[in-house]
Amino acid sequence: SQELEQSPQSLIVQEGKNLTINCTSSKTLYGLYWYKQKYGEGLIFLMMLQKGGEEKSHEKITAKLDEKKQQSSLHITASQPSHAGIYLCGAGNTGFQKLVFGTGTRLLVSP
Amino acid sequence: GAVVSQHPSWVICKSGTSVKIECRSLDFQATTMFWYRQFPKQSLMLMATSNEGSKATYEQGVEKDKFLINHASLTLSTLTVTSAHPEDSSFYICSAREYSTGTDQPQHFGDGTRLSIL
């Protein structure tokens, strides 16, 4: 079965700093989702990457998919306290029916 | 758009009680809904996939008779935890995927239900 390993597991950055979260798959990635979860709440959809080399941005968050490396990265520029939460990557099968989620990265942004 | 409502958000009940959790897609039709379970400081674990009008597909290790799933309409799926015991205490989250004929659609998640069994 597919497994997704995220790094780092947790991260504390000062407000205004940039940061990168990585998601590495044990199997071929047909596509990848990034979600954000606030503690004790549901998941907020951030981005979906479907093609190798694809890069998407939303506000100050950019995500890339490297199919050859079976990896995706999420980059936040000029972090703000509102970026704090748990970031989860999710990968689907060819039909994107079921998702397997990564181990999660807990982000804290200090003022 | 793509709002998923999950109710209740918090349940505390006695051991042996059955608890029903509802998951509704408010502004789209969801042919497929998913139920997840999340333990503290851990990632989401898929419990089952439900398609409207058919039986749910359960993941390995998930008891079908313990976790009853019904997906009677394109906007509503329910999860019933039957005869709940303290070990069933957890955070349960549902998601819904909008029907699409060609492009992949993301799963949209509810806010979760925190279940505590005394």
Side-chain angles (χ1 to χ4, degrees):
Chain A
S1 60
Q2 186 171 28
E3 292 182 355
L4 298 175
E5 185 73 29
Q6 285 184 236
S7 62
Q9 289 185 348
S10 62
L11 190 57
I12 302 174
V13 298
Q14 196 172 16
E15 184 175 357
K17 298 293 185 183
N18 303 337
L19 64 106
T20 299
I21 298 169
N22 293 304
C23 174
T24 303
S25 173
S26 61
K27 293 188 176 182
T28 302
L29 281 170
Y30 292 102
L32 192 107
Y33 295 103
W34 281 100
Y35 286 89
K36 177 186 173 184
Q37 182 181 27
K38 289 188 177 180
Y39 299 100
E41 297 183 12
L43 276 66
I44 300 168
F45 170 69
L46 296 176
M47 273 170 279
M48 177 173 69
L49 304 168
Q50 293 182 274
K51 301 175 184 177
E54 186 173 13
E55 179 175 325
K56 287 188 177 179
S57 293
H58 175 67
E59 296 179 345
K60 294 185 177 180
I61 301 176
T62 300
K64 300 179 186 179
L65 177 62
D66 187 334
E67 276 186 344
K68 290 182 180 178
K69 291 184 179 179
Q70 297 180 178
Q71 191 176 64
S72 177
S73 62
L74 185 85
H75 185 77
I76 299 177
T77 305
S79 59
Q80 300 171 355
S82 60
H83 287 127
I86 303 168
Y87 288 82
L88 292 160
C89 61
N93 54 15
T94 53
F96 264 91
Q97 281 294 318
K98 298 197 300 183
L99 286 183
V100 171
F101 282 93
T103 47
T105 296
R106 292 174 176 270
L107 172 65
L108 287 175
V109 180
S110 60
Chain B
V3 178
V4 175
S5 173
Q6 190 171 337
H7 178 79
S9 56
W10 197 294
V11 180
I12 301 174
C13 57
K14 293 181 179 179
S15 185
T17 306
S18 291
V19 179
K20 180 184 281 189
I21 303 170
E22 292 188 349
C23 180
R24 294 180 184 271
S25 56
L26 298 185
D27 52 1
F28 66 98
Q29 292 187 329
T31 49
T32 307
M33 287 186 171
F34 304 86
W35 287 96
Y36 296 85
R37 185 171 179 176
Q38 187 177 33
F39 292 101
K41 297 186 179 181
Q42 293 188 24
S43 191
L44 278 69
M45 181 189 76
L46 179 65
M47 297 175 66
T49 303
S50 76
N51 291 297
E52 185 265 337
S54 61
K55 290 184 178 180
T57 302
Y58 290 81
E59 294 300 301
Q60 193 172 11
V62 178
E63 298 177 59
K64 299 179 183 181
D65 296 330
K66 163 66 93 173
F67 300 101
L68 300 179
I69 292 172
N70 183 277
H71 192 162
S73 76
L74 285 171
T75 59
L76 174 65
S77 176
T78 60
L79 167 68
T80 301
V81 184
T82 61
S83 187
H85 291 287
E87 58 266 28
D88 298 322
S89 299
S90 190
F91 190 58
Y92 294 87
I93 312 178
C94 72
S95 71
R97 186 166 176 262
E98 187 173 4
Y99 172 74
S100 174
T101 57
T103 58
D104 290 319
Q105 296 293 323
Q107 293 181 26
H108 297 282
F109 286 79
D111 285 337
T113 297
R114 188 160 302 282
L115 176 62
S116 295
I117 308 299
L118 305 176

